[in-house]
Amino acid sequence: MKSRYILSLVAVFPLLAFSGCFMQGQTTEAVSVAGLMKAPVYDEGVSVYGEVSLLGQLNCPCFELESGGETVKVWYDLMVEDDQTQRLPVSVEGIQNGDRVVVAGELKTEGQYRQLNDFWASEIEKTG
């Protein structure tokens, strides 16, 4: 009886552990900048992909992300909500102009500390 119980645990445990990884990393599929601007989703989590430009060249902790002929300004620091809540900064270490990235975050509506269509990053992943 004990051996059957142990065998069941050995068989089931890896499946449970592996399925937890999927649940934590589960996100929606990334869309191009052009796709997001064609059908904007504001103030909700979304992932967008494109090519980085103007990193370190703008007067803000931000860069431009371009794909499909459209561009958004991606902020990775100094993201402050109207109620003064400040978002945590996101590292851009290892990211350079010309890199292709996927950025998870939110396309923002206009507010006290942001402009319409600013994109606030919560994670940036280099793809190529």
Side-chain angles (χ1 to χ4, degrees):
M1 186 70 158
K2 272 187 181 179
S3 62
R4 212 183 284 169
Y5 177 72
I6 292 171
L7 185 57
S8 296
L9 284 177
V10 169
V12 172
F13 182 74
L15 294 174
L16 292 174
F18 194 60
S19 68
C21 293
F22 283 117
M23 297 301 283
Q24 291 174 2
Q26 191 174 28
T27 59
T28 59
E29 188 174 320
V31 297
S32 68
V33 175
L36 181 62
M37 299 315 295
K38 183 177 180 181
V41 176
Y42 291 102
D43 302 314
E44 292 184 26
V46 65
S47 293
V48 65
Y49 65 83
E51 185 175 310
V52 174
S53 65
L54 300 179
L55 178 63
Q57 299 173 16
L58 298 172
N59 193 24
C60 60
C62 61
F63 59 86
E64 288 192 352
L65 188 68
E66 188 275 328
S67 66
E70 293 286 339
T71 304
V72 292
K73 187 182 290 184
V74 176
W75 288 76
Y76 54 87
D77 200 356
L78 297 182
M79 300 170 282
V80 180
E81 297 285 1
D82 289 344
D83 68 1
Q84 304 289 323
T85 303
Q86 187 165 349
R87 300 269 183 107
L88 293 174
V90 177
S91 175
V92 292
E93 186 175 335
I95 305 293
Q96 299 177 8
N97 291 319
D99 286 346
R100 297 203 47 81
V101 297
V102 174
V103 183
E106 294 179 14
L107 185 65
K108 301 303 284 182
T109 53
E110 188 173 350
Q112 187 174 357
Y113 304 105
R114 63 188 181 272
Q115 294 181 351
L116 180 65
N117 295 329
D118 281 350
F119 194 92
W120 287 6
S122 58
E123 186 177 347
I124 302 170
E125 181 181 338
K126 190 172 174 179
T127 62

